[in-house]
Amino acid sequence: MRKHGIEEVVARMSDGTSVGFAPGLEGLVATRTRLSLVDGEAGRLIIAGFPVEELAGRASFEETLYLLWNDALPDEDQLAGLKGDLAGRRALPQVTMKVLVEAVTERVPTMDALRMAAGTLGSRDGDDCGDALQVVAAIPTIVATYWRLSRDDEPIEPDRELSHAANYLYMLSGEVPSTERVRALETYLNAASDHGMNASTFAARVIISTRSDVVSAVTGAVGALKGPLHGGAPGPALDVVFEIGEAARAEPHLRTKLERGERLMGFGHRIYKARDPRADVLAAAAERLYAADADRELYRLAIAVEETAIRLLDEYKPGRNLYTNVEYYTALLLHGLGLPTELFTPAFTASRVAGWTAHCFEQRELDRLIRPQSEYVGAEDRTWAPLGER
Ligand code: ACO
């Protein structure tokens, strides 16, 4: 891969042109990527060349992973090779198991346990490919093992014969999932696999840019993802649907919230000023799932709540373009798959690790230390006072 853009930025800075203070780095282009395009105005998401609507409902997770890593869909042999490589790395190393067992006794929250356990993975010999395969393969095992341990259930060994997504559901519940359920989870895993320079992806790239290893980058990314402003708060959107209970109550309930100045969870997005394209994909997947083997009434209620919310948001916040975001249908889909709210962010991790590892490869190629500057606003003329004189 070519080293994109570095020279231009350095040239601008040595010219004396100030890049300026950009809190949150908003609007600042820190890298070039072929992995995903987020077009907020048009409500468009492209993943490695494919509109998300084209890819998410069709690809297996392994195909999406191959696509992100190699910029092409795999042929049969390549796909079989990747599936085998992943399946062979699902079992947890002893040290990882020990960490999870200890974490359970301390009642560590699932995302913290996942962060701790992720850090125990990896080859320690700088093999990016092996490390990437292991973190992608093992994250579902960590989540399922920890979830079962925390409920005093026996962990379930991964099944090599099952696909990545099917095995994830199997390790959680002990039941081999139906085709519809696997399709629904794969649609989610694909749709959320990459999304521009989001905070966790940026964290992973910063870590790799120091010539650190993929496991460290993914562990740091897990830490970034768990924050409530990123992946850490997908549950509340569903809670509102449950609180409402029946379609006729949607309008008074949502009006009361808006009158009180509250935000409607699952609506609005910093970048998308149209409907989040992932919401469409996940809504379609949720519709199929709920029609096949979940609670149809809940799906109908969610649709009614969504329609009412969009109408009222337009009334209370005209011109703000507030539409359904990814969290709304993610919550509905994952709930339909039997996942409790606590496992929503871990599921997001199992998806986004595909993007993180692909960004690690891209950043490794670029091999440029990410090192922005800060503007000092502190004092400059302090003099030292001995301890007793302060
Ligand atoms: N409900 C009610 N009003 C809203 C909502 C909402 N969901 N979202 C934005 N607004 C209003 C704000 O109150 C503000 O109104 P004002 O100008 O009268 O004060 C206006 O719209 C603009 O809001 P901002 O906060 O500037 O928009 P921003 O782009 O920063 O917000 C955010 C994005 C944080 C997602 C916001 O829409 C929100 O809080 N949504 C609800 C929480 C949620 O669903 N989070 C998950 C997001 S998906 C994801 O991050 C992967």
Side-chain angles (χ1 to χ4, degrees):
M1 185 179 293
R2 285 191 304 121
K3 294 190 176 182
H4 296 293
I6 292 299
E7 298 78 359
E8 295 153 28
V9 174
V10 171
R12 259 196 287 141
M13 286 168 37
S14 59
D15 264 7
T17 316
S18 171
V19 171
F21 175 41
L25 304 184
E26 273 168 62
L28 230 144
V29 178
T31 194
R32 285 178 174 160
T33 180
R34 58 158 185 80
L35 295 170
S36 61
L37 165 71
V38 182
D39 181 348
E41 290 301 323
R44 199 164 62 111
L45 169 62
I46 308 278
I47 297 178
F50 290 90
V52 65
E53 302 83 355
E54 177 79 12
L55 182 77
R58 294 195 174 97
S60 64
F61 176 72
E62 289 90 334
E63 284 175 307
T64 299
L65 184 67
Y66 190 98
L67 172 67
L68 286 167
W69 285 1
N70 299 286
D71 201 25
L73 288 174
D75 64 23
E76 277 181 32
D77 288 345
Q78 290 162 336
L79 184 59
L82 178 59
K83 283 184 167 180
D85 284 343
L86 287 171
R89 288 171 171 82
R90 285 178 188 155
L92 300 182
Q94 252 191 358
V95 59
T96 315
M97 274 306 290
K98 282 185 184 164
V99 166
L100 292 180
V101 168
E102 279 298 315
V104 162
T105 64
E106 301 286 332
R107 298 187 183 281
V108 170
T110 311
M111 278 306 287
D112 292 311
L114 174 53
R115 172 184 37 76
M116 291 156 73
T120 65
L121 300 172
S123 56
R124 318 267 185 279
D125 62 4
D127 169 16
D128 281 352
C129 237
D131 286 356
L133 282 165
Q134 197 193 11
V135 288
V136 173
I139 280 177
T141 317
I142 291 172
V143 174
T145 301
Y146 191 69
W147 178 244
R148 292 186 68 87
L149 285 174
S150 63
R151 290 154 46 103
D152 279 334
D153 288 335
E154 196 62 33
I156 293 170
E157 291 293 316
D159 182 341
R160 287 191 63 135
E161 299 306 313
L162 296 176
S163 71
H164 187 79
N167 177 64
Y168 192 4
L169 292 173
Y170 167 69
M171 288 189 301
L172 284 168
S173 70
E175 284 171 27
V176 175
S178 66
T179 318
E180 288 80 18
R181 294 171 85 77
V182 176
R183 182 65 264 154
L185 180 60
E186 290 198 307
T187 303
Y188 168 70
L189 294 175
N190 295 336
S193 61
D194 201 55
H195 201 245
M197 198 44 52
N198 58 89
S200 58
T201 297
F202 186 57
R205 287 192 81 129
V206 168
I207 293 170
I208 280 292
S209 84
T210 70
R211 296 194 184 158
S212 183
D213 60 289
V214 169
V215 172
S216 299
V218 167
T219 306
V222 172
L225 187 78
K226 99 185 209 337
L229 293 189
H230 191 358
L238 193 63
D239 293 342
V240 174
V241 176
F242 282 128
E243 274 169 34
I244 289 173
E246 54 181 290
R249 292 186 49 204
E251 179 151 350
H253 187 96
L254 297 177
R255 256 189 209 286
T256 307
K257 279 187 180 293
L258 290 167
E259 294 283 347
R260 282 200 214 119
E262 285 180 32
R263 294 195 173 205
L264 305 186
M265 305 314 279
F267 299 89
H269 195 277
R270 174 61 60 82
I271 294 177
Y272 290 117
K273 297 305 167 200
R275 198 167 192 256
D276 184 330
R278 296 168 298 177
D280 283 334
V281 168
L282 297 179
E287 185 177 11
R288 278 192 298 273
L289 175 68
Y290 277 74
D293 64 0
D295 177 358
R296 275 165 193 247
E297 282 309 307
L298 183 63
Y299 178 76
R300 287 200 194 99
L301 175 62
I303 295 286
V305 171
E306 181 192 16
E307 282 169 5
T308 312
I310 291 173
R311 179 164 52 78
L312 294 183
L313 283 168
D314 190 41
E315 183 184 323
Y316 282 81
K317 302 282 173 185
R320 304 293 203 295
N321 297 319
L322 299 170
Y323 297 103
T324 323
N325 64 41
V326 67
E327 299 295 356
Y328 191 78
Y329 282 104
T330 292
L332 194 69
L333 189 77
L334 296 182
H335 175 80
L337 285 170
L339 268 61
T341 314
E342 201 182 333
L343 293 187
F344 288 4
T345 308
F348 191 4
T349 314
S351 162
R352 189 54 61 83
V353 70
W356 293 336
T357 47
H359 277 274
C360 285
F361 295 145
E362 233 184 31
Q363 185 65 40
R364 184 73 85 212
E365 282 283 321
L366 192 64
D367 194 22
R368 180 74 182 178
L369 179 68
I370 298 174
R371 199 334 189 157
Q373 296 186 22
S374 53
E375 189 180 308
Y376 181 68
V377 294
E380 293 189 31
D381 54 359
R382 286 179 172 155
T383 53
W384 183 253
L387 194 54
E389 294 171 22
R390 289 174 208 164

